[in-house]
Amino acid sequence: MPQQVAERRLGTWPIFVIAVSAMTPLTVVAGALPLGYGQVGEKGIPVAYMLVAAVLGVFAVGLAAMARHVPNSGAFYAYAAAGLSRPAGVGTAFVALLAYNAMQIGLYGAFGVAAHNAMAIFGIQVSWVIWALLGWALIGVLGRLNIDLNARILTVLVCAEVLIVLVFDYVMVTHPAGGTVSFGTLNPGLIASAGGVALLVAAVAGMVGFEAPLVYAAEARDPRRTVSRAIGLTLLVAAVLYGGTAWVMSVVAGYDQIVAIAGDHLDDLFFYLPDPYLPSVIIDLGRIFFATSLFAAMLAFHHTVARYALTVAREGVLRPSLARTRDGVPVTASFAQSSVALGVLLLFALFGWNPTTDLFFFGTVSGGLGVLVLMVIASIAVVRYFRRGDHGETRWRRAVAPWISVVFLSLILLLTVASFGILLDSDNLLKVWSPPLAFLILFVVGVRWGRKLRRWRPEVYAVIGSGQPPAYGPSSQAALDEEARESGDLDTDEPVEQEPQQEPQSEPEPEPQETADRGMAGEAEHTIGTEEASPRIAAPAEQRSENGAPATLRSEDAAPAEPRSENGASATSGQNATSPRIPQARSAPDAMTPDAVTPDEPTETGAAPKPARAPQAPRTPRQRSPRARRPEAPNPAEADRPED
């Protein structure tokens, strides 16, 4: 049986450390910033990163507010299910699994190369594949340990790399080119161009990981404060480290020379610029911490993927085996993610593909596009969620901030897809369009799978986005429909297919003798061929045709009369066996009307009489169908009925 993840253990600091490590500060500073200057050829990188950090800060306001009410390890997946619909939540989960897996596996390429360069300082020459496989094995072990232990390991690594970045930044800003500190790269107008749009896309990809605190909302000690604090601190660090480092690079190189110098040192610009002012041992130490930064990022994304898979599997959307835990750690989901990463690494080793451009750059950029899709979906979900109720949140948190994030993130997503080929620096249509199409197809497949779960497994559909296992039982469908009506996401286009349930059979209750006598007496007073006949007591409303045969009136509160053949036998024998029957008067063979014989008399064909139907409760005149009220001949049987 799947176990629950340990609850309420993490404070602000461990969640903040995990988020910062997932953002890989040194990886972005030493890898992404030189590409922005040298390959894109734009100078507005500091403004781009600061602007994106501000937009994501507004976006995080609504996310943190929703996390207080939906503390689920599935994060974006749970928010889409709660704010949009359960099928949309399943589609979001599929997109998230692909995006974070692409980010995590892509980092193995950069880690292998960085570890190779770092170990070359000590004269150790080993292929990047070997270092990548060693890193994979270590992450496989740490991924099955307690999250608190991993947080301590990440704390040491993150503090070391942040310290290196701050030291390098201080050296560069205190040695400006020409002796004057320039602020030219902080001009907001530098992003008002096609190249500036590409910088925004790269900045969003560099910010991936800031949302990691949402994944641990279910394990936070205080979801109301812990998650929002961790996200705020993470974005503040990102704005200072990314935007600030990009600015000090232009200070030490010169506003007019930064693009040219970066073009000549795409791989080591961050280490080349402060090299004249620092001992070589410090530079070598920075290269080593660059490799550990990548390792910390791989470990953080590994935890993110494992918890996404755990949440979706625990609800029954994926295989239940992925929901197995040990001491609160999703061991099966961790093993599954490591298996996928191992397969990709072996393929790259077999075919000799480039680890930097084909694995690291393509994987992380494609994963960043997927995370941007998740942000847009989540922002729309937040708006819809708080439209159903304020949930005690202020107007800024539930409406203003979410709407601002919807507009800006949707615009960035459209610009990203339009300029994705420029970002990848490739004209290969398959390479350019395969990531957007893959995310689109996965989302559609997830939506379809969610709708099928509603028809086939309603108990699973009812808990999508809740993070809890399904409650199997006969009341699951009723609870599902009630919850769907309250939330407004009841799907009426595809009805639920349920097994037919038979009504419990009950013994027919014989009608009192005096009632039957009064009914037969009333029938005897009718003239052959009359057009109306009075309904019997406790019998359904009926009318007679011109030949005197009973014809059932269609009414909401009248049970249909049983049609008869010419010989008086039931025409629907064997049907509605579970329904209680009403006694009907039947005629002898030589009688002029079919109502002249008591139920105890056999018919001409020798058929056994039908068992009497249980009498129905008398309907009030207000409930009777208008068609059932017709002029009636005097009938003694009407004496006991209330007047219409």
Side-chain angles (χ1 to χ4, degrees), residues 99-169:
Y100 286 116
N101 265 298
M103 295 285 293
Q104 200 273 345
I105 298 174
L107 289 172
Y108 278 105
F111 172 76
V113 175
H116 169 79
N117 295 334
M119 292 298 102
I121 299 174
F122 305 99
I124 302 175
Q125 297 290 337
V126 180
S127 172
W128 74 270
V129 176
I130 302 300
W131 291 112
L133 291 175
L134 290 176
W136 168 85
L138 187 55
I139 286 178
V141 173
L142 295 176
R144 301 169 68 89
L145 299 180
N146 190 283
I147 188 65
D148 291 333
L149 175 61
N150 289 322
R152 296 187 185 100
I153 296 175
L154 292 175
T155 299
V156 176
L157 297 180
V158 169
C159 290
E161 66 178 277
V162 170
L163 180 61
I164 287 293
V165 172
L166 293 178
V167 170
F168 282 23
D169 287 350

Side-chain angles (χ1 to χ4, degrees), residues 318-405:
L318 295 180
R319 295 180 60 88
S321 59
L322 293 174
R324 296 173 184 170
T325 61
R326 185 181 62 196
D327 297 331
V329 179
V331 291
T332 307
S334 174
F335 176 78
Q337 199 282 327
S338 298
S339 300
V340 175
L342 177 61
V344 174
L345 291 177
L346 293 179
L347 286 177
F348 269 78
L350 179 62
F351 292 98
W353 294 331
N354 190 293
T356 302
T357 58
D358 296 332
L359 183 56
F360 168 65
F361 187 68
F362 180 75
T364 54
V365 169
S366 300
L369 175 64
V371 175
L372 183 57
V373 172
L374 296 177
M375 292 178 185
V376 174
I377 295 175
S379 61
I380 299 174
V382 171
V383 171
R384 290 201 58 187
Y385 179 81
F386 286 111
R387 285 183 61 184
R388 300 169 188 161
D390 55 20
H391 299 278
E393 301 292 345
T394 63
R395 185 177 183 85
W396 162 253
R397 293 176 178 173
R398 72 175 188 268
V400 178
W403 269 114
I404 294 175
S405 63

Side-chain angles (χ1 to χ4, degrees), residues 249-305:
M249 283 182 176
S250 67
V251 171
V252 68
Y255 177 78
D256 298 328
Q257 301 296 324
I258 181 62
V259 173
I261 296 176
D264 296 333
H265 299 275
L266 291 176
D267 298 331
D268 63 343
L269 179 66
F270 182 69
F271 305 104
Y272 169 79
L273 292 176
D275 183 64
Y277 315 105
L278 286 174
S280 59
V281 64
I282 302 297
I283 301 298
D284 293 339
L285 190 61
R287 297 181 186 275
I288 295 174
F289 281 130
F290 179 43
T292 60
S293 171
L294 289 165
F295 179 83
M298 291 189 297
L299 182 59
F301 278 114
H302 175 83
H303 285 309
T304 302
V305 173

Side-chain angles (χ1 to χ4, degrees), residues 44 47-49 51-52 55 191 193-207 372 411-412 415-416:
V47 179
Y49 276 91
L51 178 61
V52 168
V55 172
I191 62 173
S193 62
V197 171
L199 292 179
L200 292 177
V201 174
V204 171
M207 294 289 181
L372 183 57
L411 180 61
I412 294 175
L415 295 175
T416 300

Side-chain angles (χ1 to χ4, degrees), residues 223-243:
R224 178 170 292 274
R225 296 181 177 87
T226 302
V227 174
S228 59
R229 289 174 180 172
I231 293 178
L233 290 174
T234 303
L235 290 175
L236 179 61
V237 170
V240 173
L241 288 183
Y242 297 168

